[in-house]
Amino acid sequence: MAATRWQPEGPELFAPIPASSLSRGPASTPSLFLGLGANSFRRGALGDHEQALSMKITKLTVYKVPPRWLFLRIDTDAGISGWGEPVVEGRAHTVAAAVEELADYLIGKDPRHIEDHWSVLYRGGFYRGGPVLMSAIAGIDQALWDIKGKDLGKPVHELLGGPVRERIRVYSWIGGDRPADTAKAAQDAVARGFTAVKMNATEELQYVDTHAKVERVLENVQAIRDAVGSHIGIGVDFHGRVHKPMAKVLMRELEPFKLMFIEEPVLSEYLECIPELAAISPAPIALGERLYSRYDFKRVLQTGGVDIIQPDPSHAGGITETRKIAAMAEAYDVALALHCPLGPIALAANLQLDAVCHNAFIQEQSLGIHYNAANDLLDYVTDRNVFVYADGYVSMPKGPGLGIEVNEAYVAERAAVGHQWHNPIWRHADGSVAEW
């Protein structure tokens, strides 16, 4: 899929433009500087940094890039651009269409009015919520915060009240969808400095399945615990593949392994089951990657039983909404572990939130994850050292905005390749479709 942009050039506001005609930066886009003169910038309390007096959004461009990501660039007439990552894995083209629909409102607006724009994009339509709309809003919101930070010469976390931490613990994915050599992958992760790992627990399971499948799960977790020792955190992700009857069996059997958490023991549609499972769980229960707003998480917190929420700032309305979700969870003494198996823009947005959310304790990241076959996390940034990993932690980016510089030329090159990633469709032995 070629990159697509939207800007007010004639009657066809949403006409797609081939990647070959995309602008590459301020030097090649004189048409973006609309009427800017000597008085268009001012020096403020931020030292020598020049802040734009006025600024309008001129263009939105989406890039569908391998392995399965969607990037968004928002340009302004002040020459400042912001980046976001609006995507639903497996529905990238659909989210791109949603961004296109929202672009009509944004063109000509001041990008720094983030809270108002968020409210209009969410409340201005009769239908709201859900993965596609909230992911489109999320990427837009990230890009607007990136612009605001760049305009002020400050990282986003400084605009959100300043950091409560300088770094955060991270974990590494070690298992594919059908775990095989996870023990070796866990050893490799620990050798790279990680102090925590996460694996998919199981293949597909029927509502009630065999103890042979349960034993395979236990053998796999035992192999990992034997490989890394007793002090490495292990998260086991049920991935919504397990129904309540088998979740009860698995949770009891996993007790000896002293897990860091159990993720999505059942799908979030079955929140009423969580208190019953929490009563027998040997580890904290985590969920939330398939919830999209504070209104979704309100039910989680009111129902109880969840110890760790996992909103994804590329699905749950961006930085603006995820900050509110985190604050709600803190009031219930619930921890925060942001979901992020995505690209560098998403990770940068996550880290800006981790810097200011007191209940954040660990961060997911996709470096080396099995999905990243064609491209990996650092391929799309100009400085591959921007995410500083050390001793199982990653430091918060301190550059302006989201704190990273996107390699725009490479993004455009890979957008010409694009992707058509979809999750696999699994079936049970009887032919019925299984949860993936």
Side-chain angles (χ1 to χ4, degrees), residues 73-150:
R73 189 185 71 211
I74 297 181
D75 294 326
T76 70
D77 61 2
I80 300 173
S81 297
W83 289 84
E85 198 165 330
V87 68
V88 174
E89 300 93 306
R91 297 288 184 267
H93 195 81
T94 310
V95 178
V99 172
E100 174 183 345
E101 290 179 332
L102 298 174
D104 191 19
Y105 167 76
L106 291 166
I107 296 294
K109 300 294 192 300
D110 189 325
R112 296 166 295 190
H113 299 168
I114 299 171
E115 188 73 35
D116 184 61
H117 295 328
W118 197 99
S119 295
V120 170
L121 296 179
Y122 180 80
R123 300 178 189 279
F126 185 78
Y127 299 99
R128 58 190 64 174
V132 173
L133 175 62
M134 297 306 289
S135 297
I137 292 175
I140 291 168
D141 182 81
Q142 293 167 7
L144 296 180
W145 277 108
D146 195 28
I147 290 169
K148 193 176 187 77
K150 289 173 178 175

Side-chain angles (χ1 to χ4, degrees), residues 364-377:
E364 181 174 28
Q365 53 82 51
S366 73
L367 187 63
I369 196 172
H370 52 291
Y371 299 119
N372 296 356
N375 282 102
D376 210 338
L377 180 70

Side-chain angles (χ1 to χ4, degrees), residues 31 45 75 79 98 100 108 115 134 153 165 168 180 200 246 254 301 308 328 365 367 407 409-410 427 429:
S31 61
D75 294 326
E100 174 183 345
E115 188 73 35
M134 297 306 289
R165 61 179 56 85
I168 191 165
N200 277 332
M246 292 308 295
L254 287 168
L301 298 169
I308 304 163
M328 288 171 59
Q365 53 82 51
L367 187 63
N407 186 335
Y410 188 67
R427 292 187 179 274

